[in-house]
Amino acid sequence: MNEIFEFETYLSISRIKFGIYLFDTKNRNNLYGKEITLKKSNFINYYDLKQFLDDNIFRIEKLIGKFIENIFIIIDDENILNTQIGIKQKNYQPSKSKVYLQSSITNAKDLFKENYPDKKIMHIIINNYLIDGKNYSYLQDNLDYEQLNLVIQFKSISNEIIYNLTKLLQNYQINIIKFLDGNY
């Protein structure tokens, strides 16, 4: 996924508002933006979302002269799960490498997936580093340590929402690149 796209399309979804935006990555400017406000609801109204996409996908494709193939989804929903996991890992071979950091994050990610199999991780955020008993707001380079403690936050979304959005966007032959938390 290291492709660089000339245009990026973002679809913002909440229970009360939909928005679609086209961004020109070369010239760094917005080419298209449309929003619609809905009546407050307890769920995402996929029928209204389809109508909104029907009204805007063709306009964007006409504007850029090609089909939209990929899209970023920004979800603003109260059902986004925010979970924090604390990890404590001893570094048996004190070194300055970030191997132990990566290992700790991987362990936390595996633990999350094991406990929340019906969720997809959108964001992994390291909120705190405790290295040899000292707090850091970020991991410093070239730091020798024996013990690493992390507080890792996971923002995740249900597989049901992913399935419904994927199915809806397949009607337009659009792939979802990534899900993002609108509050993050």
Side-chain angles (χ1 to χ4, degrees), residues 85-92 100-101 103-105 107-108 111 128-133 145-152:
I85 296 176
I87 296 289
K88 180 178 181 180
Q89 187 164 348
K90 182 110 170 124
N91 185 356
Y92 293 103
Y100 290 97
L101 173 64
S103 173
S104 294
I105 293 170
N107 291 341
L111 184 62
N128 190 25
Y129 300 88
L130 183 65
I131 301 170
D132 292 335
Y145 58 89
E146 292 181 14
Q147 187 167 324
L148 174 67
N149 298 356
L150 300 172
V151 176
I152 303 172

Side-chain angles (χ1 to χ4, degrees), residues 17-162:
K17 186 189 232 182
F18 299 141
I20 191 163
Y21 314 95
L22 178 68
F23 183 71
D24 179 351
T25 57
K26 280 186 178 178
N27 299 315
R28 298 181 184 251
N29 63 345
N30 293 321
L31 298 176
Y32 185 87
K34 180 75 174 179
E35 293 180 346
I36 184 172
T37 304
L38 309 163
K39 293 179 183 176
K40 190 171 183 172
S41 174
N42 291 332
F43 58 91
I44 296 171
N45 187 324
Y46 293 101
Y47 177 79
D48 287 345
L49 180 57
K50 182 182 181 327
Q51 294 294 95
F52 178 75
L53 292 172
D54 286 345
D55 292 343
N56 290 286
I57 294 293
F58 178 71
R59 289 181 185 161
I60 292 173
E61 291 175 340
K62 188 174 179 180
L63 177 68
I64 61 175
K66 60 183 178 178
F67 295 113
I68 298 171
E69 296 176 4
N70 300 298
I71 198 163
F72 293 89
I73 304 291
I74 302 167
I75 299 282
D76 185 1
D77 190 85
E78 61 191 36
N79 291 324
I80 290 176
L81 181 64
N82 285 300
T83 306
Q84 289 194 16
I85 296 176
I87 296 289
K88 180 178 181 180
Q89 187 164 348
K90 182 110 170 124
N91 185 356
Y92 293 103
Q93 297 173 349
S95 68
K96 295 178 182 176
S97 73
K98 293 188 179 180
V99 173
Y100 290 97
L101 173 64
Q102 292 170 342
S103 173
S104 294
I105 293 170
T106 301
N107 291 341
K109 188 176 172 181
D110 292 344
L111 184 62
F112 179 88
K113 286 180 178 181
E114 182 181 316
N115 288 291
Y116 299 98
D118 61 332
K119 302 285 184 186
K120 176 176 173 52
I121 298 171
M122 294 190 300
H123 302 283
I124 299 174
I125 305 158
I126 302 175
N127 289 331
N128 190 25
Y129 300 88
L130 183 65
I131 301 170
D132 292 335
K134 186 174 178 187
N135 274 319
Y136 293 88
S137 57
Y138 63 93
L139 186 62
Q140 298 178 352
D141 290 334
N142 300 321
L143 186 65
D144 285 320
Y145 58 89
E146 292 181 14
Q147 187 167 324
L148 174 67
N149 298 356
L150 300 172
V151 176
I152 303 172
Q153 180 180 2
F154 292 92
K155 291 182 172 277
S156 62
I157 189 168
S158 77
N159 288 334
E160 180 184 353
I161 292 174
I162 293 170

